[in-house]
């Protein structure tokens, strides 16, 4: 669905915490498009999207698929989790969903977060949008950082290093045993 269809969907199906979801989604999309100097773009909106893998099921309050072109073609998945006031819970949900999207955002009303949770949010590159329905106020406090699969990339890198180390040891062992055999053959 597009943004206007999302607005209609929210009127019929939206939760209390999603009262400003259309405006939040629009602000996040505008930020991504402006930040990337976009020539043309396409937007697909997936509210209450379920991601299912063999290990887990996760629901995104909102999943945005953004395609654009400037010099090249790009496609990004953007996840958004909404909570009115429960900052710790929304950050926990965002962390669980972070590795499956390119950008992860949370949207809350204006709350004062506990410092440890806020540092975790910043450290993991999760964006934070605050909103106030009465004033029709929406502000990006912390922009999200690109970073799909950092953990997976790290694990692959570490595994590759361990394999290289093991192969190097095996090659050295073969070289030494081959040299010893050659020495024994020469002595005979």
């Amino acid at each position: 669905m597009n943004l206007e269809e999302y607005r209609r969907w929210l009127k019929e199906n939206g939760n209390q915490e999603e009262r400003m979801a259309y405006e939040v989604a629009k602000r996040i999309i505008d930020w991504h498009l402006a930040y990337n100097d976009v020539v043309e773009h396409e937007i697909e909106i997936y509210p209450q999207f379920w991601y299912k893998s063999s290990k887990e099921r996760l629901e995104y309050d909102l999943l945005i698929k953004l395609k654009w072109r400037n010099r090249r073609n790009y496609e990004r998945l953007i996840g958004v989790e909404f909570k009115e006031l429960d900052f710790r819970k929304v950050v926990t949900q965002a962390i669980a969903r972070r590795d499956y999207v390119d950008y992860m955002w949370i949207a809350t009303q204006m709350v004062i977060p506990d410092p440890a949770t806020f540092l975790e949010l910043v450290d993991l590159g999760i964006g934070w949008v605050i909103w106030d329905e009465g004033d029709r106020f929406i502000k990006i406090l912390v922009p999200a950082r690109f970073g799909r699969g950092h953990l997976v990339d790290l694990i692959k890198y570490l595994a590759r290093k361990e394999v290289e180390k093991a192969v190097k040891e095996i090659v050295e062992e073969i070289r030494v045993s081959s040299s010893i055999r050659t020495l024994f053959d020469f002595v005979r």
Side-chain angles (χ1 to χ4, degrees):
M1 72 178 55
N2 63 31
L3 267 172
E4 286 307 312
E5 291 168 332
Y6 180 54
R7 184 195 304 249
R8 287 190 297 276
W9 183 90
L10 282 168
K11 286 180 183 176
E12 296 172 16
N13 305 298
N15 297 325
Q16 178 71 10
E17 62 197 19
E18 296 171 322
R19 290 188 312 273
M20 296 282 290
Y22 169 82
E23 292 83 358
V24 167
K26 187 162 177 16
R27 176 64 54 100
I28 289 170
I29 290 167
D30 289 347
W31 183 86
H32 282 278
L33 294 176
Y35 179 75
N36 290 298
D37 195 29
V38 173
V39 174
E40 54 186 71
H41 68 279
E42 293 177 34
I43 301 165
E44 296 175 31
I45 305 287
Y46 302 95
Q48 297 176 357
F49 179 82
W50 282 92
Y51 170 77
K52 298 170 189 145
S53 73
S54 59
K55 296 180 183 179
E56 59 191 340
R57 286 174 34 114
L58 297 171
E59 181 193 9
Y60 289 85
D61 290 338
L62 178 61
L63 188 68
I64 302 167
K65 187 178 199 178
L66 186 58
K67 297 178 186 180
W68 74 88
R69 187 176 74 74
N70 49 25
R71 283 177 239 117
R72 299 183 332 187
N73 292 325
Y74 295 90
E75 181 175 304
R76 298 289 188 260
L77 286 177
I78 302 164
V80 184
E81 286 300 314
F82 296 94
K83 286 284 178 273
E84 285 189 273
L85 302 170
D86 194 344
F87 188 76
R88 178 68 209 154
K89 185 172 182 180
V90 75
V91 170
T92 301
Q93 289 176 326
I95 291 169
R97 291 151 178 75
R98 173 74 179 104
D99 287 337
Y100 302 104
V101 294
D102 299 308
Y103 292 90
M104 190 69 216
W105 293 83
I106 64 167
T108 68
Q109 288 189 23
M110 293 186 278
V111 297
I112 299 173
D114 67 279
T117 305
F118 179 74
L119 290 174
E120 194 173 22
L121 171 118
V122 171
D123 185 48
L124 293 172
I126 297 169
W128 184 18
V129 177
I130 60 170
W131 55 271
D132 179 44
E133 185 179 25
D135 295 335
R136 306 300 290 175
F137 174 83
I138 299 171
K139 177 75 174 160
I140 293 176
L141 284 185
V142 178
R145 289 191 325 252
F146 180 78
R148 178 168 38 209
H150 289 300
L151 181 61
V152 172
D153 292 340
L154 176 62
I155 291 169
K156 285 180 184 176
Y157 172 79
L158 293 173
R160 189 171 38 252
K161 286 295 181 189
E162 287 300 314
V163 168
E164 288 172 3
K165 181 180 170 185
V167 168
K168 193 181 241 182
E169 289 172 2
I170 292 169
V171 168
E172 186 60 32
E173 188 177 309
I174 291 171
R175 188 178 302 134
V176 168
S177 76
S178 172
S179 299
I180 291 172
R181 267 191 244 126
T182 305
L183 181 62
F184 282 129
D185 288 342
F186 179 74
V187 173
R188 285 189 197 164

